[in-house]
Amino acid sequence: MTNQRVEAPVSTESIREHTTVPVRERFDVIVLGGGVAGCAAALAARRGGCRTLLIEKTVVLGGLATGGHVATYLPLCDGRGNKVTAGIAEELLRLSIRYGYDNLPEEWRDGPRRAETRRRYRTDFSVPEFALALDELLVAAGVDLLLDTLFCAAVMDGGACTAVIVENKAGRSAFAAACCIDATGDADLAARCGLATAERENWLSYWLYGTSLEAMERAVADGRIDRG
């Protein structure tokens, strides 16, 4: 554990802190944020031969898809029977239903480039099974995982981020990398690197507050939602 010394406050508005932060390890790539996008980025980097560290603030991979219970993998088709997204995105859709339930349309079972259907290439999934499957996939790929760890600051060298400072129960520490990827969902790394960012209301946070089971059932009965 890193020892930290905090001087007595010089005023009621600020505290002066002095600490030495050890550099724990060096990586080729560090990905901040273990949501689906961050997992995809870490997987791609590792498969490209890079020693990769994925840092996640919670103890579960998957971000809003798992921790936020947004348990729908959005469509990979254009709604007219054409697949428009493949690669790791399609691989993770398949992963999300590997161990749990799904409602993937039969027309898309084998992942064709085109299907004679207007039903979307999408599925609901079981949150715990998807989280465990993501763990399994990244560990098998050789990605280093650091969970339950908060990103605190970016270390800059000129215009490049060369390390990140994080904090967990072991205290503060730093990890260096040739490339740092911001997959936080809130541009945390970009903001702390000094880049211009904007704050906006995030209406996606209100998905579960804007509906009810009864409203969903009516929408399915009226044909406004395709559950098949």
Side-chain angles (χ1 to χ4, degrees):
M1 181 174 291
T2 303
N3 293 323
Q4 298 184 3
R5 177 190 172 199
V6 179
E7 295 181 355
V10 295
S11 73
T12 58
E13 298 179 353
S14 66
I15 295 175
R16 182 176 299 162
E17 181 182 15
H18 299 276
T19 184
T20 299
V21 179
V23 177
R24 297 295 185 189
E25 290 187 70
R26 297 181 180 274
F27 291 85
D28 299 315
V29 175
I30 290 177
V31 180
L32 291 176
V36 174
C39 289
L43 188 62
R46 185 70 192 101
R47 287 176 175 173
C50 297
R51 185 165 184 249
T52 303
L53 172 66
L54 176 62
I55 300 173
E56 163 58 28
K57 66 182 179 181
T58 72
V59 296
V60 177
L61 296 178
L64 285 174
T66 55
H69 285 251
V70 184
T72 296
Y73 207 106
L74 295 180
L76 304 182
C77 68
D78 63 1
R80 297 178 177 84
N82 300 301
K83 180 167 66 176
V84 295
T85 306
I88 291 179
E90 186 174 22
E91 179 183 353
L92 294 184
L93 181 148
R94 302 285 171 167
L95 185 76
S96 74
I97 58 177
R98 176 177 294 173
Y99 301 124
Y101 58 78
D102 69 86
N103 55 1
L104 182 67
E106 287 298 324
E107 302 92 325
W108 294 108
R109 287 286 168 184
D110 297 325
R113 294 182 61 185
R114 175 166 176 77
E116 294 300 325
T117 182
R118 288 300 181 105
R119 295 202 293 174
R120 304 304 298 273
Y121 188 3
R122 47 131 344 254
T123 186
D124 296 336
F125 55 82
S126 169
V127 164
E129 279 79 4
F130 188 25
L132 291 172
L134 284 169
D135 264 348
E136 182 181 68
L137 178 67
L138 294 183
V139 169
V143 175
D144 285 78
L145 300 177
L146 188 59
L147 305 179
D148 201 15
T149 299
L150 289 173
F151 163 63
C152 299
V155 179
M156 304 296 291
D157 183 2
C161 177
T162 58
V164 294
I165 296 175
V166 300
E167 186 159 357
N168 53 30
K169 285 192 174 182
R172 286 206 175 203
S173 56
F175 293 88
C179 174
C180 297
I181 297 174
D182 189 338
T184 62
D186 291 315
D188 289 336
L189 176 60
R192 288 176 178 146
C193 285
L195 300 178
T197 57
E199 293 185 4
R200 295 288 188 272
E201 292 180 332
N202 181 4
W203 295 105
L204 294 178
S205 300
Y206 295 91
W207 276 13
L208 296 181
Y209 294 94
T211 189
S212 65
L213 181 59
E214 292 77 14
M216 290 288 288
E217 290 175 344
R218 287 196 301 271
V220 171
D222 295 343
R224 288 180 284 123
I225 296 179
D226 177 11
R227 304 300 290 175

